[in-house]
Amino acid sequence: MIESPSGFWGPVAWIIALIVALLVAYFIRSRGEKAHKEGVQSEEFLMANPRLSEEKTHVRAHNIYWGFFEGLKKYYDPTINTHTGIINDYVIWFTALIATVTIILFIVGVI
Amino acid sequence: MDTLVTHSPILIIAIPLLAAFLTPLIGRVSQKAREALVIASLAFAEFLVIILAKDIYANGLHVYTLGASLPELAIPAGYIVPIRIILEVDGISIFMGIISLTVSLAAAIYSLHFMKEETGQDRFYTLLLLLVTGMLGFEFTGDLFNMFVFLEILSISGAALAAFRMRFADAVEGGFKYIVISAVGALIILFAVGLLYAQYNLLNIAALADVMQYGTIEKIALALLTIGFIMKLAGVPLHMWAPDTYAVAPAGITPMIYVASQACMYGLYRVCFTLYGITLDQLTVGWIVIIIGVLSMFVGVTMAVIQTDVKRLMAYHAISQSGYMLLGVGVGLAVLGDPEALAAYGRQAMNGGIFHIINNAWYKGLLFLTGETLFFRLGTRDLNKMGGMGRNMKFTSIAFIIGALAISGIPPFNGFTSKWLIYESVYQFNPILAVIAMLVSLITLASFTKVFQSAFTGPRLPEYKDVKEVPKSMLIGMAILVAAIIFFSLFPGLIVDHVVSPATDALINQATYISGVMGGVP
C-alpha cells in the first residue's frame, strides 16, 4: 500500500473487486440458454445483400479513429510534416534547442 | 561474500565485458556453449547487482576506486582531490543497474531463438554484451569523462545492433541515424565535460559538485549536457530518431536500446541533481525539464495513435512515457530549493517519475517483444495486414494485454501506481500539467485498443491460418517481464519504500554523494 497526502493506493481491493466482477459475469453466463447451437441460431438474418466473407468484416488499423484524425487535422498536418525523417533536420532541432536553452539560462540569470 | 560485495561494482561491469570478448572464441567451439556463456554472465551480473543493491539499501553508497590499496580509498595520500578512476554506486545508480540487467537478461533469452537463423551471431552477442557493459559503466561511474566513454560504448554497440539485420534497408538507415545522433550528442557532452575540466581541473563528479559555481561557463556546460542527454533519451523535439531506430532493431535489442535511452535520462538527473544540485537555478531548469516532458508525453502519444507500423507505434509510446518520467522528476527539480514544497509533493513527484522508469522498462520492454513477435511470425509490422492473432498466439495476446493495460495506467497494474503518484503530486504543483498527463493516458489506452483490435481480434485470416505461437525461449523472455509487471503491480508499497525511495533520496541528497568521495578531505 502507498499513502499520499490525499489518500492511499492498495491493489488488493481492486483485485478482490475484479474477482467478484468475474464471478458475477460467470454466474450470469451460466444462466444463459443451454440449448443454443453454434452455427444454427447464430446465422445472420436473410437480407438482400450478399454475405461478406468473414475476413472482410475485420476493421483494419487505418480505419480506426479516422474521425479523430480528421477532427485534429490542423494539429496533425504540421506535426507530421515536421517529422521529415531527414537526419540533417534532427541535428538542426538539436542545435536550435541548445541555443534556446542557453539563452533561457542566461536571460533568467540576468533578470 | 563480503569480498564479493566489496568488488561487485567493478565485477558487474567487467563480467559482461569479459564475456563479450570470450563469446566469439567460445562460439567457434560450440553454439550452445556460447549461448550458455551469454546467459550465465548476465545472470551472474544480475546476482551481483542484487547483492550490491541489498548492501546499498542497508549501508549506503559504495565507492570503488580502481588501483587503490583499498577500494573505498578515493583520495590517495598527499592529494586533496580524487585522481583515480572511481565508481560511485548509490540508490539511483543501482536502481538503473537493476533495470538494465533484468531487461538485458530477458532480451538475451528472447534472442536465443529469434536470432537462430541469422548469420554473424558471434558479433551479435558480443555487441549485446558490450551494450550491457556500456549501460552499467555509465550508471556506476563517478567520473564525467568515463561517463562519456561508456556512453560511446553503448552508442556504438547500440547502432551496430540496430543495423544488425542489414538485409532490411530500413535497418541500415535506423542504425545510421542512431550513430549520427549518438555521435553528435556525445561530442556535445564531451565539449561540456571539457569546459568544466578547463574551469576546475577536475573530472570526478563528487569533486566537481563540491566546488561547482553557477557562472557563464557552467551555464553553457549545463545547457550542453542537458540537451545532449535529452537528445539521447529522445525527448521532444529531439525524438525523431527513436521511431526510425526502435522500429528496425532486432526483437531483443529494441528494449535494450530503450533502456540505454533511460540510462541517458539517469545521466540528465545526475547532472541536474548531483553535479549542479543546489547551485543551479532549480525553478528554471526544472521548468525546462517539465516542458520537454509534457511535449514528449503529448506529441509522443498523438503521433503513436496515428501509426500503422506496430513497432513505430510502440516507439512513439516510449517517447510519450519518457515524458511522464521527465514531468515527475522535473517537478522535484523545480522545487528542490523549497524544502516545504519538496516535502509536500516534490519528493512524491520524483518517486512517481522514478517508479515510472522501472515500470516502463518492464511493460515497454514486453510490448516491444510482443510487437517483434508479430513480425517474427507474420513477416510484417503493418497493422493493416494483421488480424485474428489472438486465436493463434494465445500467450503473446495475454502478454500484450497485460503490457497494454499497464502502460495505459489501468488499475491495478504497476503503470497506474506510478502515474497516480505523478498525477497527485504534479496537481499540487500545477493542475494543468496533471490534466494533460491524464489525457495522455487516455489516448495511450485508445492507441493500444487500436493495436489489440487490429492485430489480435477479428476473424482468422486465411493467410495466417497456419501461424503458431513463438518458441519457448521467446516466451520465457516475455514471461520474465510479465512476472516483473505482476510483482510490481501486487507490491507497489514494497518497491516504492525499498527501491524507489532510496533512488529519489540519492538524487535529492547531493551532500551524501559528495561526501562519499570527498569525505576524507581534511
Side-chain angles (χ1 to χ4, degrees):
Chain A
M1 187 182 292
I2 303 175
E3 288 191 23
S4 79
S6 54
F8 70 93
W9 162 246
V12 179
W14 268 85
I15 291 163
I16 292 170
L18 200 68
I19 291 168
V20 170
L22 286 173
L23 287 174
V24 170
Y26 181 76
F27 174 74
I28 293 169
R29 189 179 186 279
S30 69
R31 309 293 297 165
E33 179 54 58
K34 289 186 173 63
H36 168 85
K37 285 184 186 136
E38 191 74 34
V40 181
Q41 280 119 325
S42 60
E43 283 290 317
E44 292 86 346
F45 290 109
L46 289 173
M47 52 185 176
N49 297 324
R51 188 184 167 189
L52 286 172
S53 66
E54 212 178 19
E55 59 268 22
K56 282 189 179 162
T57 61
H58 183 48
V59 181
R60 305 283 174 161
H62 64 269
N63 291 319
I64 301 172
Y65 306 142
W66 64 268
F68 177 80
F69 305 136
E70 202 59 32
L72 291 176
K73 219 171 168 31
K74 280 185 182 162
Y75 164 75
Y76 270 112
D77 284 347
T79 311
I80 292 169
N81 286 340
T82 52
H83 291 74
T84 56
I86 301 168
I87 198 150
N88 301 27
D89 293 347
Y90 301 178
V91 178
I92 289 169
W93 277 105
F94 180 58
T95 317
L97 194 62
I98 287 179
T100 311
V101 169
T102 310
I103 291 166
I104 290 171
L105 290 180
F106 277 100
I107 288 175
V108 173
V110 170
I111 292 169
Chain B
M1 195 63 154
D2 283 349
T3 314
L4 203 58
V5 173
T6 306
H7 295 285
S8 55
I10 189 65
L11 287 175
I12 290 165
I13 301 168
I15 287 169
L17 182 66
L18 184 68
F21 293 106
L22 278 177
T23 300
L25 296 175
I26 304 283
R28 294 202 175 268
V29 181
S30 152
Q31 190 177 325
K32 288 258 178 241
R34 179 191 58 211
E35 290 171 354
L37 173 74
V38 172
I39 302 301
S41 62
L42 289 174
F44 187 54
E46 174 96 49
F47 165 72
L48 290 175
V49 160
I50 290 166
I51 60 166
L52 179 61
K54 217 175 143 202
D55 194 67
I56 287 171
Y57 298 146
N59 305 316
L61 61 80
H62 262 241
V63 175
Y64 191 91
T65 314
L66 275 79
S69 52
L70 288 170
E72 56 275 15
L73 199 65
I75 302 175
Y79 287 82
I80 56 164
V81 288
I83 53 159
R84 293 195 168 105
I85 293 174
I86 292 176
L87 305 175
E88 191 164 358
V89 190
D90 60 359
I92 184 77
S93 309
I94 200 71
F95 175 84
M96 295 305 300
I98 293 169
I99 296 173
S100 303
L101 266 169
T102 311
V103 171
S104 302
L105 183 61
I109 294 171
Y110 184 93
S111 299
L112 292 179
H113 191 92
F114 185 83
M115 297 304 291
K116 218 166 198 167
E117 305 302 319
E118 300 282 340
T119 56
Q121 288 187 43
D122 286 339
R123 289 192 296 278
F124 176 82
Y125 287 111
T126 300
L127 289 165
L128 185 148
L129 289 165
L130 282 175
L131 179 56
V132 178
T133 308
M135 284 192 277
L136 293 167
F138 183 82
E139 289 153 1
F140 285 8
T141 185
D143 181 298
L144 272 184
F145 183 74
N146 286 327
M147 213 176 212
F148 161 76
V149 171
F150 284 114
L151 185 67
E152 283 291 79
I153 294 175
L154 79 83
S155 300
I156 293 166
S157 49
L161 284 166
F164 193 79
R165 292 181 291 184
M166 285 175 66
R167 63 181 182 281
F168 302 123
D170 55 357
V172 179
E173 186 188 335
F176 172 72
K177 284 179 178 172
Y178 187 69
I179 195 65
V180 171
I181 290 304
S182 299
V184 172
L187 284 175
I188 288 293
I189 289 167
L190 180 64
F191 182 53
V193 173
L195 287 177
L196 292 175
Y197 183 64
Q199 185 80 338
Y200 294 103
N201 210 21
L202 289 168
L203 287 169
N204 184 277
I205 296 173
L208 266 169
D210 199 28
V211 293
M212 183 67 85
Q213 305 292 310
Y214 196 51
T216 305
I217 294 292
E218 290 84 354
K219 280 181 188 169
I220 295 171
L222 177 65
L224 297 176
L225 286 168
T226 309
I227 304 306
F229 285 127
I230 286 173
M231 173 83 134
K232 283 286 293 171
L233 69 86
V236 171
L238 310 178
H239 63 290
M240 296 168 196
W241 63 270
D244 300 343
T245 304
Y246 291 163
V248 297
I253 300 307
T254 313
M256 287 182 69
I257 295 178
Y258 180 54
V259 171
S261 293
Q262 292 191 325
C264 294
M265 186 178 288
Y266 156 84
L268 173 71
Y269 297 164
R270 187 56 96 199
V271 165
C272 291
F273 285 90
T274 309
L275 183 62
Y276 283 82
I278 50 168
T279 57
L280 57 70
D281 177 358
Q282 294 110 358
L283 192 63
T284 309
V285 180
W287 265 107
I288 289 171
V289 174
I290 290 167
I291 289 168
I292 290 173
V294 171
L295 281 174
S296 302
M297 282 194 307
F298 191 77
V299 176
V301 80
T302 49
M303 284 301 291
V305 74
I306 204 165
Q307 301 299 317
T308 51
D309 177 320
V310 66
K311 280 192 81 183
R312 281 186 79 83
L313 179 145
M314 288 182 183
Y316 276 110
H317 277 295
I319 295 162
S320 172
Q321 296 302 307
S322 298
Y324 281 96
M325 302 160 204
L326 291 172
L327 173 64
V329 179
V331 168
L333 182 60
V335 298
L336 191 63
D338 179 355
E340 219 168 273
L342 188 66
Y345 57 85
R347 189 171 175 276
Q348 195 188 31
M350 287 182 68
N351 269 343
I354 290 171
F355 192 23
H356 206 65
I357 297 178
I358 200 162
N359 285 336
N360 202 49
W362 307 150
Y363 54 66
K364 197 72 241 179
L366 176 66
L367 288 168
F368 274 129
L369 293 185
T370 56
E372 193 70 30
T373 296
L374 290 170
F375 179 61
F376 181 75
R377 280 303 190 215
L378 311 183
T380 178
R381 299 194 305 260
D382 189 353
L383 285 167
N384 287 320
K385 294 178 181 163
M386 295 182 193
M389 280 303 108
R391 299 165 192 276
N392 304 49
M393 304 165 85
K394 291 198 166 54
F395 180 85
T396 305
S397 309
I398 293 167
F400 177 84
I401 292 170
I402 290 172
L405 291 174
I407 198 173
S408 307
I410 301 295
F413 288 98
N414 58 343
F416 168 78
T417 317
S418 47
K419 284 185 180 178
W420 174 73
L421 286 171
I422 294 170
Y423 299 152
E424 277 219 338
S425 47
V426 170
Y427 184 84
Q428 293 181 61
F429 178 73
N430 187 321
I432 295 168
L433 298 176
V435 171
I436 295 171
M438 283 186 239
L439 176 70
V440 168
S441 244
L442 199 70
I443 306 176
T444 306
L445 181 63
S447 179
F448 279 98
T449 306
K450 167 181 158 174
V451 179
F452 185 66
Q453 195 280 334
S454 41
F456 292 99
T457 65
R460 197 189 295 271
L461 300 179
E463 60 268 39
Y464 302 133
K465 68 178 192 304
D466 298 326
V467 167
K468 290 192 179 84
E469 186 57 276
V470 286
K472 217 174 268 175
S473 81
M474 292 168 75
L475 293 179
I476 292 170
M478 290 193 275
I480 290 172
L481 297 173
V482 168
I485 291 171
I486 292 172
F487 183 79
F488 276 56
S489 302
L490 289 177
F491 307 104
L494 187 78
I495 305 298
V496 170
D497 291 345
H498 295 95
V499 181
V500 176
S501 291
T504 304
D505 292 339
L507 285 177
I508 293 173
N509 302 325
Q510 186 197 23
T512 312
Y513 189 91
I514 295 172
S515 66
V517 170
M518 306 300 289
V521 177

